[in-house]
Amino acid sequence: GQQVMQIPQYQHVQEGEDFTTYCNSSTTLSNIQWYKQRPGGHPVFLIQLVKSGEVKKQKRLTFQFGEAKKNSSLHITATQTTDVGTYFCKRGIMRFGAGTRLTVKP
Amino acid sequence: EAQVTQNPRYLITVTGKKLTVTCSQNMNHEYMSWYRQDPGLGLRQIYYSMNVEVTDKGDVPEGYKVSRKEKRNFPLILESPSPNQTSLYFCASSRGGGEGYEQYFGPGTRLTVT
């Protein structure tokens, strides 16, 4: 099945710096979902994007869906230690990206 | 409280000893699935169920069995576990089986097979 490529695999930032993870597909996506997994926890749904060019915000988190609906990004402004975890994108019913693991240095 | 529960949370077993990991949801969800999570590989689907008595293979079904006799329960069975099945397992459920449904995950079961 069609996978989604997620980059980077790891990101280490200083608290207060911004962070972005990208999710790319070779085929058009009908929608994309984002999940967050805290260390030792389970994935938790963050948001779903459906429309071409869609931008959604949740406090310091900004989610974008590309115009061609083949890529998506999650941007965190001014990271905090509470943002630590792995962020996954998901296409279709079951196709998760490999995730981007974010660590934040206080 | 709406939730997905899994038991046990941790399990260490030996090669060949049959085991079952239980999964239950209290949200009346139709769709349930099992994933395994391994470093660098993300979440890979093992089996899924669209409804009672309807199950199908995911990406990595070898060595696993499932059943869906009741809507709320979806146990994962390893008939003869092997060391390559050492992993972190998650059960998940959603209201429907289409692409647009949010998935709710259980807390995970960490399995070690020696």
Side-chain angles (χ1 to χ4, degrees):
Chain A
Q2 297 294 330
Q3 300 293 337
V4 284
M5 299 301 295
Q6 199 171 347
I7 54 171
Q9 191 173 1
Y10 302 97
Q11 186 78 58
H12 178 72
V13 300
Q14 189 79 33
E15 189 173 22
E17 292 180 340
D18 292 357
F19 159 77
T20 305
T21 175
Y22 300 90
C23 193
N24 300 309
S25 170
S26 59
T27 58
T28 303
L29 305 169
S30 56
N31 65 61
I32 195 154
Q33 296 181 343
W34 286 92
Y35 291 75
K36 176 183 178 181
Q37 182 179 18
R38 294 182 186 275
H42 58 276
V44 174
F45 175 83
L46 293 176
I47 210 159
Q48 175 171 275
L49 304 172
V50 178
K51 300 176 184 176
S52 168
E54 188 170 15
V55 178
K56 288 188 177 180
K57 293 191 175 186
Q58 290 179 350
K59 297 182 181 178
R60 293 177 296 102
L61 276 63
T62 301
F63 303 85
Q64 293 192 28
F65 204 8
E67 293 290 342
K69 299 183 72 174
K70 288 186 176 181
N71 52 68
S72 180
S73 65
L74 158 57
H75 178 83
I76 302 178
T77 303
T79 54
Q80 299 175 359
T81 54
T82 53
D83 296 323
V84 164
T86 302
Y87 293 85
F88 294 97
C89 60
K90 173 176 163 287
R91 68 166 293 172
I93 298 174
M94 62 180 184
R95 298 259 176 261
F96 282 87
T100 296
R101 183 178 172 188
L102 172 66
T103 55
V104 179
K105 184 177 181 181
Chain B
E1 179 190 356
Q3 60 182 349
V4 179
T5 56
Q6 291 178 230
N7 282 292
R9 294 290 312 278
Y10 302 91
L11 179 60
I12 301 174
T13 190
V14 296
T15 299
K17 186 177 182 181
K18 181 180 178 180
L19 66 92
T20 299
V21 184
T22 64
C23 172
S24 183
Q25 51 93 5
N26 64 359
M27 295 169 279
N28 201 37
H29 283 170
E30 289 191 350
Y31 183 86
M32 297 185 75
S33 62
W34 277 101
Y35 294 88
R36 61 178 289 173
Q37 184 174 31
D38 302 289
L41 297 177
L43 292 151
R44 294 180 294 165
Q45 193 179 58
I46 303 170
Y47 268 94
Y48 65 94
S49 169
M50 297 291 277
N51 213 325
V52 176
E53 302 292 1
V54 181
T55 63
D56 210 343
K57 297 177 181 178
D59 282 338
V60 288
E62 293 78 22
Y64 305 94
K65 285 175 58 177
V66 293
S67 68
R68 187 93 181 271
K69 294 186 173 63
E70 306 163 285
K71 199 172 188 178
R72 63 184 297 128
N73 297 322
F74 191 44
L76 179 69
I77 302 153
L78 284 71
E79 294 271 3
S80 183
S82 62
N84 64 14
Q85 293 179 298
T86 292
S87 187
L88 178 58
Y89 292 86
F90 287 103
C91 179
S93 74
S94 59
R95 195 156 51 88
E99 291 187 13
Y101 292 99
E102 169 186 350
Q103 289 200 305
Y104 295 79
F105 284 80
T109 295
R110 187 165 291 282
L111 172 66
T112 302
V113 184
T114 61

